[in-house]
């Protein structure tokens, strides 16, 4: 079965940047924990999704995805300074801290604290991988048809859960 829209794809991968640092990996061999996604629903970065189109289980390949085709270029306008008292819910605020915030469109966004200066906190709403080329070494483990519920929700329900529950869809606005 080949990879096309509305099929559930299981892959293992190692992701490196142009400095050859490993950013993410499922591992490989028997200890690997394959990553599952629903193809054609923007569950993964566009450049990787395009490269996977038409592949089948057992295929392995390498693909270099430009920043524009991954998490986008860095946007300096997304770096802002806010008063420390905006973080009243946090125990402490320090450089390198990351947290999720909701955008005006209701989407979750990762924010990184880049500087704490007295009563001012500089935050960066760029995706942590924005501006980076992403180099994937990918192996396709399995391809199957998605079920009705997965297609409705636009994402995979893992085999360990029946249907959609909090554990499966905590990140999902459609299912939450
Ligand atoms: Zn769901």
């Amino acid at each position: 079965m080949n990879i096309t829209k509305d099929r559930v794809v299981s892959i293992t991968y190692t992701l490196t940047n142009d400095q050859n640092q490993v950013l993410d990996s499922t591992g490989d061999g028997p200890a690997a924990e394959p990553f599952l996604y629903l193809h054609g629903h923007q569950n993964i970065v566009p450049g990787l999704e395009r490269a996977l189109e038409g592949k089948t289980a057992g295929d392995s390949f390498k693909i270099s995805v430009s920043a524009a085709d991954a998490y986008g270029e860095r946007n300096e306008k997304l770096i802002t300074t806010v008063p420390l008292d905006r973080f009243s819910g946090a125990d402490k605020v320090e450089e390198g801290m990351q947290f999720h915030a909701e955008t005006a469109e209701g989407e979750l966004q990762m924010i990184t604290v880049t500087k704490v200066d007295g009563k001012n906190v500089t935050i960066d709403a760029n995706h942590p991988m924005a501006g980076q080329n992403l180099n994937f070494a990918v192996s396709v483990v399995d391809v199957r048809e998605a079920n009705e519920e997965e297609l409705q929700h636009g994402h995979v329900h893992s085999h360990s859960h029946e249907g959609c529950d909090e554990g499966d869809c905590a990140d999902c606005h459609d299912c939450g």
Side-chain angles (χ1 to χ4, degrees):
M1 185 178 286
N2 64 347
I3 297 175
T4 189
K5 188 169 175 7
D6 295 343
R7 285 182 176 164
V8 172
V9 182
S10 171
I11 57 174
T12 58
Y13 66 87
T14 296
L15 166 60
T16 54
N17 61 16
D18 284 347
Q19 289 73 47
N20 233 3
Q21 290 170 307
V22 175
L23 302 177
D24 192 13
S25 178
T26 58
D28 52 21
E33 291 181 30
F35 170 79
L36 281 81
Y37 76 96
L38 181 60
H39 194 80
H41 292 257
Q42 289 106 41
N43 288 179
I44 60 174
V45 299
L48 179 60
E49 186 160 59
R50 224 161 34 232
L52 280 156
E53 178 78 31
K55 297 282 197 291
T56 59
D59 284 350
S60 291
F61 64 96
K62 289 184 175 176
I63 172 87
S64 184
V65 178
S66 68
D69 251 349
Y71 292 101
E73 301 293 349
R74 285 183 59 80
N75 179 354
E76 299 307 316
K77 288 190 183 130
L78 294 178
I79 301 171
T80 51
T81 301
V82 298
L84 183 62
D85 57 25
R86 286 266 298 274
F87 294 85
S88 52
D91 286 342
K92 58 175 178 181
V93 179
E94 56 189 6
E95 196 180 312
M97 235 178 66
Q98 291 185 321
F99 58 95
H100 284 102
E102 207 163 315
T103 66
E105 291 80 42
E107 286 185 20
L108 278 181
Q109 188 174 42
M110 178 83 92
I111 310 271
T112 307
V113 173
T114 56
K115 200 169 112 186
V116 182
D117 183 9
K119 296 252 173 280
N120 294 310
V121 181
T122 304
I123 56 173
D124 184 349
N126 283 289
H127 188 282
M129 291 186 199
Q132 295 202 53
N133 297 328
L134 303 182
N135 305 299
F136 291 93
V138 186
S139 295
V140 180
V141 177
D142 188 40
V143 184
R144 67 163 167 88
E145 298 290 355
N147 65 37
E148 283 287 310
E149 196 180 43
E150 287 172 326
L151 290 176
Q152 268 173 25
H153 293 186
H155 58 229
V156 172
H157 291 157
S158 67
H159 14 244
S160 58
H161 293 279
E162 285 295 326
C164 183
D165 60 22
E166 282 290 311
D168 248 11
C169 295
D171 296 337
C172 173
H173 284 267
D174 298 331
C175 309

